[in-house]
């Protein structure tokens, strides 16, 4: 790009011009902001206003545009100039609507608007137009790991959408868990009778599809690369072959919780106590005839113990509910009733969980004479002839013993998720785990697990997003689920996979900064090989070379800037977002002196939740202190502590960091950003003390997008707090 | 699940003075929602009663409501006073009562299963009484199926 030519456009529409002296802002943009061109407009987002900007881009060769109008989140279609760098000063939501009405506020309102113009100009001059990543992979093939119902569904959906598929299954046949079933729970109307699992038909469709390449008895020896250019070493029948793929769907399913861990319920102690897979095997062997036990005796009475080793509050067994097991036991009880209605079938449960149309199935089982007893099983005694189940009947409120020929323990799903990369290397549990993907990523061999060993990622808002771009988990490896949900899940994961492929080919970021062409640029000559960026990247995007310098894989990167926030020597930046673009804003404002009684509060607000919530607060005219100056950041994780020290040295009276919820139920769009930020800012306490400043001068808050009323209150409370502790003594030194 | 969540609204508003009672048949806290259920069970301000409430009467003098029924765990008859009663009524598809194309398949409750040729689909709460999480799952899958249909159709048209 040729040399920088700047222009500022100041809009007086939407009432801005009535409350804010726009000509004065124009002077500031010119004299202090040093904008080459400064224009005022009464209605900038109108066709005519936008055209005036376009004309300047063309005739005046403007390369950098500062728009002082509404929030950067508004009118994005109108103010869309992808060929130039652009900064936005938020005069409407951030000043006009955020500052209380009335003449007594005119002065502070104007000062706030003027600072936003200064900040916009300062930011703009540090920005560049992202050139885009030339090093993109263009491979469009989808790798599906695991050939059960989820994997076969994923393979077919991808193939039928027009993508080539490589399907890798470790067993000699396709089908996984579903292939072991006699029947499956009905998944469409009328939701009343067990259905054929349909595995053979699906496997035949997979085998026949010209776009699907199936490798049976195969495992993944190594995975390297990034979306659009993954290289996978497939080990199959003693030979290995390198395959190139663009994205990966991991459908490795789950195993049943080990029944032998439940000896008090007879698990592992008698062939007459089986898990749900054991019952399926007996039903398959019976092939429609009465079901017989291992000793050949026809089963006349059967007890199903729900939640066996699940929903455990003692920390011994699985703490969660696997969801499918109630419907599975209902189905299995029907296996008996459908052949011989005289067989006693009792389901012992505490909460019968058959949501949605599962209720029809539950009702049908009651019609067939299946007994449902609310009770908590305490023990199962086994003898040669049969079993005795002892339980607390929660309805009759008494202890009951139930004799049964066969007991089925409804144990839960344990994800086949590979290695838990968050375990310490010397943890014996880690040594027993076998990797599935064998990623050569610096942060570990498999997908990070979120909770209870499942490869889930963003639980609440974006269930498909994992922390390894281009690799998507689906089915019960992601969270406990039944077959119907798993096939739906696999279909959705294919959408994510093809999005990743398309984004990688175009050099664009994936969710949540979809379409962003910027990516981290590192000035390696300044790097001290401290490894913070490679360790902290929430997406494992950064590897290390043999000299321990970071190696960025742009297609894996989500552009959150956590690496930039981590870097102690500040050598990592984005073309349109850097230590300088924010640092320059912090230094640009007109700082009132210590005696002015006009504190300045820097608000670093996460652009995902906090900043939109502030915009919405403005929209609802929830006013807040005019002493605040809000700077949107990509994620709190991108906040480099130099911004805090710069601000405090520059006389700012306080800094508020507004980010998303962290921890197990995190809402951070970049998973770890807000958590890392809070760790880093905890360390700033020492810095503050060294500077002789109160620790309250930097405060971190967890904010959700719905905190529209709370946020203005937080800012006001913080402003009151600053008033209480007094103005910063650091003013006027810089 | 929504009721469990709402008990925590009451708790947030009144702290330890809050009193919520959940009358339920089965608590369906599937997956890790079990964690949340257990947390609410440990909350001393929340009581669980396994019962289908038989009758609600207005206590005009006290300005409160009396819930009558039988706690099926142990068969205890109750008449419990509450300031406010929240009815956790179920979800119904918005399309119930609307005329949809003939080839749209609906289940016994009116939720849309799809169409025989795959050209029409439902997602989220139109397809099944889903929670937010499953609705996004359903929507993501539906988007892929729609793309598939469009690509296949476009491909077929190019060939002809």
């Amino acid at each position: 790009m040729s040399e920088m030519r700047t222009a500022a456009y100041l809009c007086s529409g939407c009432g801005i011009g009535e409350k804010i002296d726009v000509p004065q802002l124009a002077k500031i943009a010119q004299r202090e902001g040093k904008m080459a061109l400064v224009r005022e407009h009464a209605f900038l987002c109108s066709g005519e206003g936008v055209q005036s900007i376009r004309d300047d881009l063309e005739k005046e060769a403007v390369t950098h545009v500062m728009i002082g109008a509404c929030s950067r989140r508004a009118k994005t279609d109108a103010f869309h100039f992808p060929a130039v760098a652009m900064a936005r000063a938020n005069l409407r939501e951030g000043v006009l609507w955020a500052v209380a009405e009335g003449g007594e506020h005119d002065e502070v309102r104007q000062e706030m608007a003027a600072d936003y113009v200064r900040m916009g100009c300062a930011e703009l001059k540090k920005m560049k137009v992202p050139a885009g990543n030339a090093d993109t992979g263009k491979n469009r093939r989808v790798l599906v790991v695991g050939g059960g119902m989820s994997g076969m569904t994923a393979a077919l959906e991808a193939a039928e959408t027009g993508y080539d598929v490589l399907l890798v299954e470790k067993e000699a046949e396709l089908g996984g868990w579903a292939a072991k079933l006699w029947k499956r729970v009905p998944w469409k109307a009328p939701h009343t009778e067990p259905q054929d699992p349909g595995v053979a038909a699906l496997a035949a469709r997979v085998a026949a599809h010209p776009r699907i390449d199936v490798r049976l008895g195969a495992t993944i020896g190594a995975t390297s690369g990034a979306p659009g250019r993954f290289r996978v070493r497939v080990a199959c029948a003693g030979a290995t072959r390198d395959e190139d793929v663009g994205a990966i769907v991991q459908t490795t399913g789950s195993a049943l919780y080990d029944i032998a861990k439940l000896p008090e319920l007879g698990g592992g102690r008698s062939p007459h106590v089986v898990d749900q897979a054991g019952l399926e095997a007996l039903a398959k062997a019976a092939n429609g005839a009465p079901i017989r036990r291992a000793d050949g005796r026809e089963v006349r009475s059967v007890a199903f113990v729900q939640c066996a080793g699940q929903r455990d509050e003692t920390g011994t067994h699985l703490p969660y509910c696997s969801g499918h097991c109630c419907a599975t036991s209902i189905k299995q009880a029907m296996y008996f009733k459908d052949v011989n209605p005289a067989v006693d079938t009792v389901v012992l449960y505490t909460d019968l969980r058959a949501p949605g149309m599962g209720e029809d199935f539950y009702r049908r089982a009651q019609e067939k004479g299946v007994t449902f007893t609310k009770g908590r099983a305490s023990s199962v005694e086994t003898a040669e002839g049969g079993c005795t189940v002892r339980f607390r009947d929660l309805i009759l409120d008494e202890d009951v013993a139930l004799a049964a020929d066969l007991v089925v323990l409804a144990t839960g799903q344990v994800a086949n998720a590979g290695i838990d990369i968050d375990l310490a290397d010397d943890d014996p549990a880690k040594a027993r785990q076998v990797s599935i993907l064998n990623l050569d990523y610096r942060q570990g061999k498999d997908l990070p697990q979120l909770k209870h060993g499942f490869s889930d990622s963003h639980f609440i808002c974006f269930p498909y997003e994992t922390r390894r771009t281009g690799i998507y988990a689906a089915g019960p490896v992601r969270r406990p689920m039944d077959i119907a949900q798993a096939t739906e899940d696999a279909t959705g994961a294919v959408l994510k996979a093809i999005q990743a492929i398309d984004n990688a080919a175009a050099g664009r970021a994936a969710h949540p900064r979809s379409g962003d062409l910027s990516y981290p640029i590192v000035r390696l000559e300044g790097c001290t090989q401290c490894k913070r960026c490679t360790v902290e990247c929430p997406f494992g995007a950064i590897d290390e070379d043999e000299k321990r310098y970071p190696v960025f894989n742009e297609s894996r990167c989500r552009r959150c800037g956590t690496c930039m926030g981590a870097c102690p020597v500040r050598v990592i930046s984005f073309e349109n977002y850097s230590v300088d673009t924010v640092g320059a804003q912090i230094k640009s404002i007109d700082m009132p002196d210590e005696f002015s009684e006009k504190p300045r509060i820097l608000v670093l607000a996460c652009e995902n939740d906090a900043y939109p919530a502030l915009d919405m607060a403005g929209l609802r005219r929830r006013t807040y202190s005019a002493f605040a100056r809000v700077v949107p950041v990509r994620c709190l994780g991108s906040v480099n502590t130099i911004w805090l020290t710069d601000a405090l040295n520059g006389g700012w009276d306080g800094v508020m960091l507004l980010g998303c919820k962290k921890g197990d139920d995190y809402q951070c769009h970049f998973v770890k950003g807000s958590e890392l930020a809070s760790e880093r800012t905890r360390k700033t306490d020492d810095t503050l003390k060294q500077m002789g400043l109160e620790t309250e001068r930097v405060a971190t808050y967890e904010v959700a997008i719905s905190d529209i009323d709370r946020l203005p209150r937080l800012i006001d409370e913080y402003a009151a707090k600053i008033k209480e502790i007094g103005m910063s003594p650091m003013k006027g030194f810089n | 699940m929504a009721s469990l969540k709402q008990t925590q609204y009451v708790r947030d508003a009144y702290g330890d003075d809050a009193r919520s009672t959940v009358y339920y048949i089965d608590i369906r806290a599937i997956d890790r929602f079990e964690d949340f259920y257990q947390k609410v069970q440990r909350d001393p301000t929340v009581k669980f009663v396994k019962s289908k409430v038989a009758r609600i009467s207005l206590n005009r003098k006290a300005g409160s409501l009396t819930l009558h029924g039988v706690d099926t765990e142990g068969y205890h008859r109750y008449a419990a006073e509450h300031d406010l009663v929240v009815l956790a009524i179920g979800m119904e598809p918005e399309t119930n009562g609307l005329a949809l194309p003939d080839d749209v398949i609906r289940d016994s409750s009116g939720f849309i299963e799809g169409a025989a040729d795959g050209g029409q689909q439902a997602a989220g709460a139109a397809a099944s009484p889903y929670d937010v999480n499953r609705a996004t799952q359903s929507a993501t899958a539906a988007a892929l199926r729609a793309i598939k249909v469009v690509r296949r159709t476009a491909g077929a048209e190019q060939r002809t």
Side-chain angles (χ1 to χ4, degrees), chain A residues 1-9 35-39 51-67 81-87 124 129:
Chain A
M1 184 176 286
S2 58
E3 94 190 38
M4 183 191 303
R5 185 160 163 78
T6 56
Y9 299 86
M35 295 288 107
L37 278 176
V38 179
R39 303 204 196 275
Q51 190 55 46
S52 72
I53 302 175
R54 285 217 188 91
D55 289 346
D56 284 346
L57 301 189
E58 204 178 309
K59 292 173 194 146
E60 302 279 345
V62 167
T63 61
H64 285 61
V65 173
M66 204 294 288
I67 291 174
F81 311 109
V84 298
M86 181 168 68
L124 181 69
V129 182

Side-chain angles (χ1 to χ4, degrees), chain A residues 316-617:
Chain A
T316 319
H317 304 298
L318 306 180
Y320 53 87
C321 160
S322 295
H324 79 91
C325 349
C326 283
T328 300
S329 289
I330 291 171
K331 175 195 72 173
Q332 294 185 336
M334 286 187 187
Y335 290 174
F336 294 94
K337 286 288 184 190
D338 287 348
V339 179
N340 178 6
V343 175
D344 277 333
T345 53
V346 178
V347 178
L348 285 178
Y349 71 98
T350 51
D351 293 284
L352 208 295
R353 293 177 172 176
M357 294 307 128
E359 194 71 30
D360 285 354
F361 193 47
Y362 178 25
R363 221 172 277 127
R364 183 77 187 114
Q366 290 170 324
E367 287 164 16
K368 289 184 181 189
V370 178
T371 307
F372 292 89
T373 298
K374 178 153 176 153
R376 207 180 295 274
S378 53
S379 71
V380 175
E381 287 149 28
T382 58
E384 197 139 317
C387 311
T388 306
V389 183
R390 296 193 186 280
F391 66 97
R392 182 80 186 170
D393 187 315
L394 296 170
I395 301 297
L396 302 176
D397 203 18
E398 61 189 29
D399 292 321
V400 180
L402 171 75
D405 293 340
L406 186 72
V407 173
V408 183
L409 302 183
T411 55
Q413 294 178 316
V414 180
N416 288 328
I419 290 174
D420 181 356
I421 62 171
D422 291 319
L423 285 180
D425 281 334
D426 56 358
D427 194 310
K430 194 171 190 173
R432 285 195 299 273
Q433 294 168 341
V434 177
S435 175
I436 287 165
L437 296 175
N438 278 301
L439 292 164
D440 74 347
Y441 289 21
R442 188 231 177 277
Q443 290 185 9
K445 286 172 180 282
D446 282 295
L447 286 176
Q449 298 167 10
L450 179 59
K451 207 170 184 191
H452 307 324
F454 290 89
S455 301
D456 198 351
S457 182
H458 206 293
F459 184 69
I460 299 169
C461 307
F462 314 107
Y464 288 101
E465 292 301 334
T466 64
R467 287 165 53 195
R468 296 293 177 263
T469 312
I471 308 177
Y472 301 96
V477 69
R478 186 168 81 71
R479 53 185 293 195
M481 59 179 83
D482 62 13
I483 297 176
Q485 202 182 343
T487 51
E488 192 80 349
D489 206 41
T491 308
V494 168
L495 178 69
K496 300 307 299 181
I498 67 177
Q499 283 177 347
I501 285 171
D502 288 352
N503 281 325
R508 292 187 305 234
H511 168 91
R513 293 191 55 81
S514 312
D516 187 359
L517 289 170
S518 74
Y519 57 90
I521 294 169
V522 57
R523 201 164 43 78
L524 277 182
E525 57 274 24
C527 172
T528 57
Q529 298 129 296
C530 76
K531 300 193 289 187
R532 266 178 234 178
C533 58
T534 62
V535 171
E536 291 192 358
C537 173
F539 302 99
I542 316 169
D543 293 326
E544 281 159 28
D545 68 10
E546 59 280 3
K547 289 183 189 152
R548 306 199 164 221
Y549 281 111
V551 179
F552 285 78
N553 293 278
E554 285 81 16
S555 315
R556 292 190 210 159
C557 168
R558 304 281 261 278
R559 283 70 164 172
C560 59
T562 296
C563 51
M564 182 173 112
C567 184
V569 286
R570 299 178 292 283
V571 294
I572 302 171
S573 61
F574 298 79
E575 287 151 310
N576 52 7
Y577 181 62
S578 65
V579 168
D580 283 348
T581 61
V582 176
Q585 294 182 65
I586 293 169
K587 291 171 190 159
S588 71
I589 68 151
D590 182 32
M591 183 61 71
D593 69 30
E594 204 177 335
F595 312 102
S596 64
E597 292 182 12
K598 285 177 180 170
R600 289 292 176 255
I601 297 164
L602 176 64
V603 182
L604 297 171
C606 164
E607 68 178 12
N608 296 293
D609 272 23
Y611 199 73
L614 274 171
D615 272 357
M616 285 187 279

Side-chain angles (χ1 to χ4, degrees), chain A residues 9-24:
Chain A
Y9 299 86
L10 298 163
C11 181
S12 51
C14 292
I16 294 173
E18 290 157 35
K19 294 278 166 88
I20 295 168
D21 180 355
V22 175
Q24 190 241 354

Side-chain angles (χ1 to χ4, degrees), chain A residues 157 160 163 189 311 321 351-353 359-360 374 394-395 451 459 464 479-480 485 488-489 665, chain B residues 24 26-29 31-32 34-35 38 50 72-74 108 113 133 136-137 141 145 148 151:
Chain A
E157 293 290 342
E160 289 172 357
Y163 290 79
R311 301 176 62 196
C321 160
D351 293 284
L352 208 295
R353 293 177 172 176
E359 194 71 30
D360 285 354
K374 178 153 176 153
L394 296 170
I395 301 297
K451 207 170 184 191
F459 184 69
Y464 288 101
R479 53 185 293 195
Q485 202 182 343
E488 192 80 349
D489 206 41
D665 297 321
Chain B
Y24 73 100
D26 294 294
I27 301 287
R28 292 179 164 171
D31 189 353
R32 50 185 276 198
E34 183 70 27
D35 298 351
Q38 289 175 9
K50 182 174 167 71
T72 53
E73 290 192 325
S108 62
E113 281 188 359
N133 209 294
T136 54
Q137 185 181 43
R145 290 194 199 101
K148 184 171 83 173
R151 288 205 178 163

Side-chain angles (χ1 to χ4, degrees), chain A residues 95-115:
Chain A
V95 183
L96 176 68
W97 293 347
V99 179
E101 289 191 25
E104 69 273 32
H105 302 289
D106 283 351
E107 187 180 312
V108 288
R109 189 187 304 112
Q110 185 68 25
E111 286 171 357
M112 196 180 195
D115 273 349

